[in-house]
Amino acid sequence: MRVYEGKRVSGGIAIGRIWVYRRQEQQAEPVKVSDVQGELLRFEAAKAEAARQLLSLYEKTLPKAGEAEAAIFMGQRMLAEDLEYNDFVKNIVCTRKVQAEYAVNAAAEYFSGKLEELDETYLRERAADVRDVSRRILAALGSGAAGEEAPGQTGILGGSFSQAGIPGGSSGQTGILGGGVILARMGEEPVILAAEELSPSETAQLDRNRILALVTVHGSQYSHAAILAGTMAVPALVGTPLPLDHTVDGKLAVVDGDSGRIYVEPDAEFLAEMTALKQKTLADRKELEDLKGLETVTRGGRRIRLYANLNQIGELAAVRQNDAEGIGLFRSEFLYLEREDLPTEEEQFLIYRQVAEAMEGRPVVIRTLDLGADKQCGYLGPEQEENPALGLRGIRMCLARPEIFRTQLRALFRASAYGKIGILYPMITSVGEVERIREITAQVKAELREQGFAWGEPEQGIMIETPAAALISDVLARKVDFFSIGTNDLTQYALAADRQDPNLWEYYDPHHPAILRMIAMVVENAHKAGIRAGICGEPGADPALVAELLAMGVDELSMPPERILAIRRLVREMDKKNTAK
Ligand code: PEP
Ligand code: MG
């Protein structure tokens, strides 16, 4: 058995044979033409065809994955019309008197190369879109007559090429999706699809019924393809160092989306274990699926809102699949941790906006940078602290480096024009910090106003995760719009037990009466001031605590998305005496 570890895009267990997909790229040689005008017309016709296909893909993706994901194809449509891209292609055709295929390939290489050089991850990811749309134009050029479609074949890349609006699938040529090649090689059995990488077009057209799991060697959790893969509700991994050769092709494998691993040629004992686990998970999952769309309300009528914690944008699909009523905690620090330099305002804005739009009007609470302690960011300066958990972490670091804080706030305010964004400040210990934050946000808003930017009126709340904040929560409650109780840190600070240290688990006890009393006190102070209080630490999803938290009057619980439906089931089975408030 060989094990390869990648990054999780979507969870679950899949068992089956691996099928390696190799995209066949068209290598266009510079073929000379005498009719340059005719060649330009051919390019225009191919572009029109590509635009038609992209519109059809948008319409096809919309009901399956929602507006934010489907919009990827409208974005690609705009790329095909990009002035610079078009000038580049036309210039090559005219000056070198060559076929459009060569010019489109050159443009794809040039513009995707330029994008890949950029610092901003989000823009770098767009290189895949440029290549994707160029392949589509190439295929339309290769198919000759625009709009010619293959007769209703079914392949792994979609119910049928004609349905998806992809021409030329049956011509045996290596078209945009390697069409004919894939159809010929594909067996009937559903497979674990392994590939170097998948483009958004390829991913959107995968037939859910023939895919057990997706594993790619490249690609990031931020890529459009990963987001689309997540919406398919099959286990999916990216960045997996899987050799795409005979040692894996056709071999039996287990994909564990939750741990981010693929096990190739598993031994009998492990296979039996995973098969049993899969059966159990499936049976339970089926029961939970029926709870989607239902309210989280006890038999006695006590209603509570269940939100998701989000660490990576790639987890958005899981958030939606698990019917979260919103995002209660987006840990924005992960945007800063997975790179070598600070994310820019524009880059952050695009990500926050994407999350807000994907949640379609449901609340999205984004926590400002909470670095320090266990989340260290090398490029911000290796300041060694004796006790990092008691050091310059969370809001303290932001107030000490206001230029970093301001950039993030600008991005957050700007994104708040696109959805129901709330801003959450971590590690608060004093009223002074809240007042300082208010001054900075007022300056940021004045600046944005002057520069003509629009924003919504995001709610602004604080984390109650230090005993100090809990004890002065009556005063703090009058200064903010909401509380989010961070029981993970509250427990470590109240009980003086490092949350990272397994030797202290005996002492690190979120059920400790001191913690429960603090939660009750914070909720009561919040309600007295007319604001809401939620819990976003892990104990919010602890079945043994939920009834007690409800009885205290907690308004919201935010948790890993996979826990939501199980907690909904638990709440719906509770009766009045457990949850009176
Ligand atoms: C917490 O402390 O409970 C919390 C939710 O924040 P984090 O786990 O990110 O520190
Ligand atoms: Mg915390």
Side-chain angles (χ1 to χ4, degrees):
M1 174 162 86
R2 283 158 289 140
V3 188
Y4 303 92
E5 189 157 345
K7 288 195 186 121
R8 169 215 151 102
V9 169
S10 124
I13 295 170
I15 301 173
R17 301 222 165 257
I18 299 175
W19 186 79
V20 174
Y21 164 51
R22 287 184 197 85
R23 185 189 295 141
Q24 312 267 322
E25 301 285 1
Q26 278 185 335
Q27 287 306 333
E29 290 301 317
V31 178
K32 288 281 180 195
V33 288
S34 50
D35 180 8
V36 166
Q37 278 316 314
E39 203 51 29
L40 290 178
L41 286 176
R42 213 163 68 81
F43 171 59
E44 288 301 334
K47 248 181 17 179
E49 171 57 18
R52 189 188 69 75
Q53 292 170 8
L54 285 164
L55 182 64
S56 139
L57 262 180
Y58 168 80
E59 284 162 356
K60 206 169 147 244
T61 309
L62 192 61
K64 281 197 293 185
E67 174 63 35
E69 277 78 9
I72 292 166
F73 299 112
M74 294 317 259
Q76 288 196 356
R77 227 171 155 224
M78 279 161 70
L79 268 178
E81 285 310 325
D82 181 85
L83 220 55
E84 267 190 76
Y85 180 93
N86 276 270
D87 284 352
F88 191 100
V89 172
K90 288 176 192 164
N91 194 27
I92 293 186
V93 171
C94 294
T95 55
R96 298 188 55 183
K97 296 193 171 41
V98 288
Q99 265 192 343
E101 279 87 340
Y102 179 77
V104 171
N105 254 324
E109 245 170 66
Y110 176 77
F111 288 102
S112 63
K114 281 261 167 242
L115 284 165
E116 271 161 356
E117 279 168 17
L118 295 177
D119 285 342
E120 301 183 12
T121 316
Y122 184 85
L123 292 176
R124 274 204 306 273
E125 296 298 337
R126 302 291 72 78
D129 288 312
V130 173
R131 287 194 295 269
D132 203 17
V133 79
S134 302
R135 272 196 295 273
R136 187 172 294 280
I137 297 172
L138 281 173
L141 280 166
S143 70
E148 239 175 58
E149 290 174 350
Q153 292 180 359
T154 52
I156 192 167
L157 288 175
S160 78
F161 273 57
S162 57
Q163 219 180 314
I166 307 293
S170 64
S171 62
Q173 60 167 357
T174 54
I176 186 163
L177 302 174
V181 178
I182 286 174
L183 297 179
R185 285 184 50 204
M186 197 31 210
E188 277 308 306
E189 280 300 299
V191 290
I192 295 169
L193 191 145
E196 202 66 49
E197 68 173 344
L198 288 170
S199 71
S201 304
E202 288 162 331
T203 315
Q205 290 174 66
L206 292 172
D207 180 354
R208 166 72 189 84
N209 298 320
R210 302 179 73 182
I211 301 290
L212 299 170
L214 293 170
V215 181
T216 64
V217 177
H218 299 297
S220 89
Q221 288 156 304
Y222 294 98
S223 68
H224 281 153
I227 294 166
L228 288 166
T231 64
M232 291 176 65
V234 294
L237 315 179
V238 293
T240 322
L242 191 68
L244 298 178
D245 56 19
H246 66 282
T247 61
V248 306
D249 203 2
K251 299 286 189 271
L252 187 66
V254 175
V255 178
D256 181 352
D258 297 310
S259 68
R261 295 199 184 106
I262 175 164
Y263 302 84
V264 181
E265 299 191 299
D267 54 53
E269 199 183 324
F270 182 75
L271 188 62
E273 201 181 296
M274 292 306 270
T275 308
L277 187 62
K278 187 179 161 209
Q279 295 308 339
K280 195 168 157 289
T281 322
L282 279 180
D284 193 51
R285 191 71 221 166
K286 202 172 162 331
E287 204 183 301
L288 293 179
E289 285 289 316
D290 294 340
L291 295 171
K292 286 190 184 171
L294 299 184
E295 280 197 332
T296 311
V297 59
T298 66
R299 291 196 183 132
R302 167 90 164 79
R303 171 109 164 73
I304 189 156
R305 298 199 184 270
L306 298 188
Y307 294 147
N309 290 350
L310 183 82
N311 300 330
Q312 318 271 3
I313 200 166
E315 295 164 359
L316 262 180
V319 171
R320 290 156 49 125
Q321 276 154 24
N322 288 285
D323 202 26
E325 292 168 67
I327 292 173
L329 171 67
F330 178 4
R331 291 181 164 103
S332 71
E333 55 273 14
F334 286 97
L335 300 179
Y336 293 71
L337 287 168
E338 292 189 330
R339 44 186 298 142
E340 273 133 39
D341 49 6
L342 284 165
T344 63
E345 174 183 326
E346 199 58 23
E347 185 170 7
Q348 292 187 62
F349 161 71
L350 291 170
I351 289 171
Y352 302 148
R353 174 181 163 173
Q354 189 181 347
V355 176
E357 287 181 338
M359 292 307 288
E360 294 167 340
R362 277 165 286 175
V364 174
V365 173
I366 304 179
R367 181 172 72 186
T368 57
L369 190 53
D370 182 20
L371 290 176
D374 55 319
K375 291 175 262 185
Q376 294 289 345
C377 210
Y379 60 83
L380 285 179
E383 275 153 46
Q384 287 299 333
E385 295 174 307
E386 278 293 319
N387 273 311
L390 306 180
L392 203 66
R393 68 167 289 199
I395 200 69
R396 301 172 181 180
M397 204 277 266
C398 287
L399 294 177
R401 305 278 302 265
E403 70 291 354
I404 297 176
F405 194 33
R406 269 174 217 279
T407 305
Q408 180 169 37
L409 287 172
R410 282 177 60 92
L412 285 167
F413 275 102
R414 284 176 55 199
S416 71
Y418 297 88
K420 199 171 172 198
I421 284 183
I423 307 179
L424 177 63
Y425 302 100
M427 278 297 290
I428 297 293
T429 53
S430 72
V431 174
E433 286 161 346
V434 176
E435 282 166 355
R436 185 79 195 99
I437 293 168
R438 275 180 177 266
E439 281 165 27
I440 297 177
T441 51
Q443 288 162 4
V444 163
K445 284 203 250 181
E447 229 174 71
L448 289 174
R449 189 174 302 117
E450 211 168 282
Q451 293 164 353
F453 284 110
W455 68 88
E457 271 306 324
E459 284 193 319
Q460 295 183 66
I462 54 172
M463 296 279 295
I464 303 287
E465 53 184 343
T466 63
L471 289 168
I472 58 165
S473 53
D474 53 340
V475 189
L476 290 170
R478 295 197 288 272
K479 306 245 167 220
V480 298
D481 299 323
F482 65 94
F483 281 162
S484 189
I485 308 174
T487 39
N488 301 339
D489 277 313
L490 189 60
T491 306
Q492 85 163 341
Y493 293 127
L495 303 179
D498 185 348
R499 66 192 259 193
Q500 303 279 100
D501 187 347
N503 296 321
L504 292 176
W505 281 351
E506 187 192 332
Y507 298 98
Y508 183 90
D509 175 18
H511 295 225
H512 192 293
I515 308 301
L516 299 178
R517 275 196 210 181
M518 273 197 264
I519 297 174
M521 182 180 140
V522 172
V523 175
E524 197 180 326
N525 284 333
H527 290 174
K528 272 193 205 148
I531 66 167
R532 61 182 199 282
I535 296 204
C536 61
E538 307 312 305
D542 179 349
L545 272 185
V546 172
E548 199 160 348
L549 297 176
L550 255 74
M552 289 177 191
V554 169
D555 302 294
E556 305 160 358
L557 298 173
S558 193
M559 60 194 70
E562 296 75 16
R563 303 284 304 129
I564 289 176
L565 292 171
I567 296 296
R568 179 173 294 166
R569 175 168 62 190
L570 184 78
V571 171
R572 288 176 63 87
E573 284 163 2
M574 282 176 187
D575 52 32
K576 207 169 190 165
K577 66 181 185 311
N578 283 329
T579 57
K581 184 80 192 180

